[in-house]
Every structure is written in structure tokens, then in C-alpha cells.
Amino acid sequence: MNFDMPALLVLLGSLFLLLGCTGEIFSKHLSVKLSQLTARIVLASVGLFMLGIGIIGPDKLLSPTQAAEEEEPEIITETPAIPSAWFFNIAGSYQGQATSTGQAYPVRTTFSIDSKNKIIGTYIIQENTKRIGGTLTHAEITGPKAIQFKWHDDNGSGILQVEFSEDLDSFTGHWGAGNTLDDSAVWNGVRE
């Protein structure tokens, strides 16, 4: 037999409330008379409580702990800054070489993840006796395991395109000044 629990609670609650308020119920088959004030108050209170549960719904009356456990998970509509988990695994330092005007120089490139889950980087190029330090920002995915950065140091700025190996322990790439990549300007690194 199917029955609607909230409707049953409303019906019983109404019955108890009526009995508690009037002290009497008369029908063809039922006759109840209450003379004690306490019993009437208790019945009216039970009736109000049952009415409330019936109207609100039994599933809404949860303890704070149950309500917290049954809350819907938060839906995040903002696109994450790093759309793929492999990005988290490139963080670290890589030792390699960067070429400039046909000459190869040692470079140490370090990738990390900032507080907004964006990949950023720094680098130090050793040009003979001169050390040049710079930053890598504005990371953008350009392919599977490939990222394009904007580089900036005291000599200028431009773009760096790198592609990581399958195990993410090395990368190869090219860089260029301004918005142009130079295929002859190599930048690579192997994880330290």
C-alpha cells in the first residue's frame, strides 16, 4: 500500500491539533473528550509539530551534520588555469642550453605553480661571464605536453615554445624576440 508520508503527517497533525484545542472530537464512530488542560496542550503541540513536519517535509529536517554530508558538491564554472594534471608534474629545475646568435650558453630553467594554479618560470643564462636572469609568464597550452611562455629579461622579451618528453624529465624548444619564434634559437633542459 502506497501512502504519502507528508499528507499523513498533515492529517494526523490536524487531528491532534483539533483534539488539543477543542478537547473533544465527535464522529459517528469516535468520541473522545479531554478535560485536563495539560493533555490538551500536549496534543495541540504534537499536532502542530506533525503539521510542521508534514508541510516542510521529513527529508528537510536533518541535523546540521547530516545536512552538511548531503549537500550537493559545489559546481565550478570557471575554467581552471591549468586544464590538465600533467602540468603539475613539470615543476622543478632543468639544466640545458639556450642558443643566441649561433652560440650555445648554459641555462637553468625552473618551472613552478603559483597560488592560482598557473605555471610560471624563471631562468638564468650564463653568457660567458655575464649571468642573465629572467621570467616566464603567460603559459598557454599549444599541444600535448607543449607550452608557450612569454619570456622577459634585461635584454628584452619574446616567446618561448617548449615541448616536454613523455616522462616530463626533459624539454626541447625554440625562442624568439617579440612575437616570432626563431627555429635556430634552441632552448632545452633536462630535469636536475
Side-chain angles (χ1 to χ4, degrees):
M1 169 194 251
N2 280 339
F3 61 91
D4 185 11
M5 180 61 87
L8 181 63
L9 288 171
V10 168
L11 178 65
L12 288 174
S14 300
L15 181 66
F16 285 157
L17 183 60
L18 181 63
L19 183 60
C21 289
T22 64
E24 301 179 335
I25 294 180
F26 292 104
S27 74
K28 189 174 183 180
H29 302 288
L30 177 66
S31 177
V32 177
K33 185 171 184 171
L34 294 175
S35 58
Q36 294 180 356
L37 181 62
T38 305
R40 290 175 62 191
I41 291 172
V42 169
L43 279 175
S45 299
V46 169
L48 281 173
F49 179 73
M50 292 177 83
L51 270 171
I53 292 174
I55 292 169
I56 294 172
D59 58 331
K60 302 287 188 208
L61 297 176
L62 299 174
S63 71
T65 306
Q66 288 173 317
E69 289 172 1
E70 294 183 13
E71 283 182 8
E72 291 291 320
E74 181 181 351
I75 297 173
I76 301 173
T77 56
E78 183 179 321
T79 304
I82 299 175
S84 181
W86 68 269
F87 277 94
F88 290 103
N89 296 322
I90 69 168
S93 294
Y94 298 76
Q95 191 64 46
Q97 292 186 333
T99 59
S100 177
T101 61
Q103 178 71 38
Y105 299 102
V107 62
R108 182 174 193 232
T109 310
T110 303
F111 299 106
S112 59
I113 300 171
D114 70 9
S115 62
K116 296 180 181 176
N117 286 336
K118 292 184 180 179
I119 286 287
I120 56 173
T122 59
Y123 59 90
I124 298 174
I125 299 175
Q126 185 68 45
E127 284 188 4
N128 301 321
T129 59
K130 183 179 178 186
R131 288 172 57 111
I132 301 170
T135 59
L136 301 171
T137 59
H138 298 86
E140 181 182 324
I141 301 170
T142 57
K145 305 239 184 339
I147 310 171
Q148 181 171 296
F149 293 95
K150 289 189 178 180
W151 63 266
H152 179 80
D153 61 36
D154 289 342
N155 290 337
S157 63
I159 55 176
L160 167 64
Q161 175 77 37
V162 297
E163 185 170 346
F164 286 86
S165 62
E166 195 61 36
D167 62 5
L168 304 176
D169 281 340
S170 63
F171 69 88
T172 57
H174 297 90
W175 66 277
N179 293 321
T180 308
L181 282 176
D182 181 352
D183 289 338
S184 66
V186 176
W187 191 322
N188 60 40
V190 176
R191 191 183 294 270
E192 294 181 320

